[in-house]
Amino acid sequence: MKKWMYLIFPGIMLGAFLVFFFSYQKEAAAREHARAEQVKKLADEKAAAKALAEKKDAADAKERQIAREKEDADKEAAKLAKLAAADKEVKDATDKALAEGDKAAKEVAKTEIELDTLRKAKDKLNREAFELAKQVELAKVAKRNAEFDIQRTTEMISRKAAESSLTAMPPPPPLPPAPK
């Protein structure tokens, strides 16, 4: 009997263990099922909250994107307006400079024509002055030649007169005798 004891007590204990195990297993399965449902419910709630948050984030992101695009469009429009204003300012300045350049070119052309006319007049006056100076010099030369001619003629006349017997002085009368 002693040998059978080694089988009977563990068999009874195994039976008691199996009774408690199977009853606990049913409770554990029920608790596990309830916990799984609770976890599933929490997961569904989290998923719903996450989906709601994602929708809200997507809507916020879309609003921010629209606001950013509007802001970018406003900045681009302001930039284009500023660029257009700068371009207009440069164009106006260029047109003004070109108009002043044309005016100056016309004035330069007019001044060059006047300068050419004045140069021609100066050349004409210089030629006239030269011709008059030439005539004065020729007149001086003619006057000198005339004076030389007059001197030569006068000298020739005086020489002929000196050589002529008609112009010779008669010999002086004899002097009376001197009183003694």
Side-chain angles (χ1 to χ4, degrees), residues 2 5 15 45 65-66 73 76 88 120 124 126 132-133 136 147-148 152 156-157 163 167:
K2 283 185 175 182
M5 271 182 132
E45 288 177 3
Q65 181 67 25
I66 290 170
E76 187 68 25
K88 185 180 183 304
K120 287 179 182 177
K124 183 179 177 184
N126 282 342
L132 290 175
V136 168
E147 288 174 355
F148 285 150
R152 188 176 51 83
M156 193 168 66
I157 291 174
E163 291 175 3
T167 60

Side-chain angles (χ1 to χ4, degrees), residues 101-119:
D102 290 343
K103 183 179 175 184
K106 287 177 184 176
E107 192 173 320
V108 165
K110 181 180 174 184
T111 307
E112 284 180 355
I113 290 171
E114 285 181 28
L115 182 63
D116 189 43
T117 305
L118 291 174
R119 282 182 182 159

Side-chain angles (χ1 to χ4, degrees), residues 16-96:
F17 172 75
L18 288 176
V19 168
F20 286 114
F21 176 74
F22 284 120
S23 68
Y24 178 78
Q25 190 176 17
K26 287 180 184 176
E27 283 180 28
R31 274 189 275 163
E32 183 66 28
H33 183 62
R35 192 182 68 80
E37 284 181 15
Q38 191 177 17
V39 168
K40 184 179 177 187
K41 185 178 175 184
L42 285 174
D44 289 343
E45 288 177 3
K46 284 184 180 178
K50 185 177 180 181
L52 183 63
E54 285 178 359
K55 281 184 182 179
K56 186 177 177 184
D57 287 345
D60 289 345
K62 190 173 183 180
E63 287 179 21
R64 283 192 305 266
Q65 181 67 25
I66 290 170
R68 193 175 318 123
E69 286 175 358
K70 183 181 178 203
E71 185 178 318
D72 289 346
D74 290 344
K75 284 182 183 178
E76 187 68 25
K79 185 178 178 182
L80 289 176
K82 186 176 180 182
L83 183 63
D87 287 345
K88 185 180 183 304
E89 186 177 317
V90 168
K91 184 181 180 295
D92 291 343
T94 303
D95 291 343
K96 183 178 177 184

